Amino acid sequence: MDADELRRFVLERLDEDEARLAEEKLPLLDEAEGRGRLRIIRSDDGSGLLLLPGPIQAPLERQLVPFPEKFPLLRTEVEQTHDEALLRLLAGAYDTHHGWQEEWR
Protein backbone atom coordinates (compact mmCIF):
# COMPACT_ATOMS: atom_id res chain seq x y z
CA MET A 1 0.00 0.00 0.00
CA ASP A 2 1.26 3.48 -0.86
CA ALA A 3 0.59 5.56 2.27
CA ASP A 4 1.41 8.82 0.49
CA GLU A 5 -1.19 8.12 -2.19
CA LEU A 6 -3.73 7.27 0.49
CA ARG A 7 -2.86 10.46 2.40
CA ARG A 8 -3.30 12.57 -0.77
CA PHE A 9 -6.66 10.92 -1.43
CA VAL A 10 -7.93 11.74 2.08
CA LEU A 11 -6.61 15.32 1.99
CA GLU A 12 -8.25 15.94 -1.39
CA ARG A 13 -11.57 14.57 -0.13
CA LEU A 14 -11.37 16.76 2.99
CA ASP A 15 -10.80 19.77 0.73
CA GLU A 16 -13.82 18.76 -1.36
CA ASP A 17 -15.88 18.44 1.82
CA GLU A 18 -14.84 21.92 2.88
CA ALA A 19 -16.04 23.20 -0.52
CA ARG A 20 -19.31 21.26 -0.12
CA LEU A 21 -19.86 22.92 3.25
CA ALA A 22 -19.22 26.36 1.70
CA GLU A 23 -21.94 25.51 -0.84
CA GLU A 24 -24.22 24.62 2.08
CA LYS A 25 -24.12 20.92 1.17
CA LEU A 26 -23.51 18.12 3.64
CA PRO A 27 -19.84 17.05 3.67
CA LEU A 28 -19.42 13.42 2.63
CA LEU A 29 -17.53 12.72 5.87
CA ASP A 30 -20.58 13.83 7.87
CA GLU A 31 -22.77 11.73 5.59
CA ALA A 32 -20.56 8.69 6.31
CA GLU A 33 -20.89 9.36 10.04
CA GLY A 34 -24.66 9.54 9.66
CA ARG A 35 -24.64 6.14 7.92
CA GLY A 36 -22.64 4.68 10.83
CA ARG A 37 -19.40 4.13 8.86
CA LEU A 38 -17.34 5.92 11.52
CA ARG A 39 -17.67 8.38 14.39
CA ILE A 40 -15.60 11.41 15.17
CA ILE A 41 -16.10 12.66 18.72
CA ARG A 42 -14.25 14.88 21.15
CA SER A 43 -11.78 13.30 23.52
CA ASP A 44 -12.75 13.18 27.20
CA ASP A 45 -10.52 16.13 28.04
CA GLY A 46 -11.68 18.09 24.98
CA SER A 47 -8.16 18.57 23.67
CA GLY A 48 -8.59 16.49 20.53
CA LEU A 49 -10.75 14.11 18.58
CA LEU A 50 -11.35 10.38 18.69
CA LEU A 51 -11.88 8.57 15.41
CA LEU A 52 -13.86 5.38 15.93
CA PRO A 53 -14.94 2.71 13.45
CA GLY A 54 -18.65 2.07 13.03
CA PRO A 55 -21.61 3.35 15.01
CA ILE A 56 -19.95 3.05 18.41
CA GLN A 57 -21.91 4.66 21.22
CA ALA A 58 -20.22 6.12 24.28
CA PRO A 59 -21.75 5.41 27.72
CA LEU A 60 -23.05 8.98 27.73
CA GLU A 61 -23.95 9.73 24.13
CA ARG A 62 -21.55 12.33 22.79
CA GLN A 63 -22.52 14.79 20.13
CA LEU A 64 -20.78 14.57 16.79
CA VAL A 65 -18.23 17.26 16.13
CA PRO A 66 -19.37 19.82 13.51
CA PHE A 67 -17.32 19.70 10.30
CA PRO A 68 -15.87 23.24 10.66
CA GLU A 69 -14.40 22.22 14.03
CA LYS A 70 -13.05 18.83 13.01
CA PHE A 71 -11.71 19.79 9.56
CA PRO A 72 -8.50 21.57 10.72
CA LEU A 73 -7.74 18.89 13.31
CA LEU A 74 -8.28 16.05 10.85
CA ARG A 75 -6.23 17.79 8.16
CA THR A 76 -3.30 18.24 10.55
CA GLU A 77 -3.54 14.65 11.74
CA VAL A 78 -3.69 13.26 8.20
CA GLU A 79 -0.71 15.38 7.13
CA GLN A 80 1.42 14.23 10.08
CA THR A 81 0.34 10.65 10.83
CA HIS A 82 2.16 7.47 9.97
CA ASP A 83 -0.88 5.42 11.07
CA GLU A 84 -2.18 3.69 7.94
CA ALA A 85 -5.19 2.33 9.84
CA LEU A 86 -6.33 5.87 10.58
CA LEU A 87 -5.86 6.87 6.94
CA ARG A 88 -7.79 3.80 5.75
CA LEU A 89 -10.65 4.48 8.17
CA LEU A 90 -11.00 8.06 6.91
CA ALA A 91 -10.59 7.02 3.28
CA GLY A 92 -13.39 4.49 3.76
CA ALA A 93 -15.80 7.38 4.22
CA TYR A 94 -15.13 8.24 0.58
CA ASP A 95 -15.25 4.74 -0.92
CA THR A 96 -17.80 5.80 -3.55
CA HIS A 97 -15.33 8.29 -5.06
CA HIS A 98 -13.84 7.27 -8.43
CA GLY A 99 -10.31 7.55 -6.99
CA TRP A 100 -11.00 4.99 -4.24
CA GLN A 101 -8.86 1.84 -4.35
CA GLU A 102 -10.17 -1.42 -2.94
CA GLU A 103 -6.76 -2.19 -1.38
CA TRP A 104 -7.44 0.61 1.11
CA ARG A 105 -10.29 -1.32 2.72
Side-chain angles (χ1 to χ4, degrees):
M1 174 187 311
D2 183 353
D4 289 332
E5 185 178 4
L6 179 56
R7 182 184 329 279
R8 274 191 305 277
F9 176 81
V10 172
L11 289 172
E12 288 169 2
R13 301 301 73 77
L14 287 172
D15 288 343
E16 288 174 1
D17 270 354
E18 187 178 38
R20 287 178 63 83
L21 185 66
E23 296 170 359
E24 298 183 4
K25 296 178 182 173
L26 182 65
L28 296 178
L29 187 62
D30 286 354
E31 189 176 298
E33 280 187 271
R35 290 190 326 256
R37 303 286 308 266
L38 64 124
R39 283 178 69 86
I40 301 170
I41 57 176
R42 288 184 183 84
S43 60
D44 287 339
D45 65 5
S47 66
L49 300 176
L50 298 174
L51 179 61
L52 306 168
I56 296 172
Q57 307 243 335
L60 296 173
E61 182 60 37
R62 300 180 190 189
Q63 289 187 333
L64 298 178
V65 179
F67 190 81
E69 291 180 38
K70 66 185 162 196
F71 172 75
L73 295 170
L74 287 173
R75 177 174 255 311
T76 299
E77 183 66 23
V78 168
E79 289 173 341
Q80 297 175 359
T81 192
H82 297 287
D83 184 350
E84 287 186 12
L86 178 137
L87 293 173
R88 283 195 308 270
L89 183 57
L90 281 171
Y94 304 105
D95 66 355
T96 59
H97 187 275
H98 65 85
W100 165 260
Q101 296 181 26
E102 190 61 37
E103 71 185 56
W104 295 339
R105 195 167 303 282

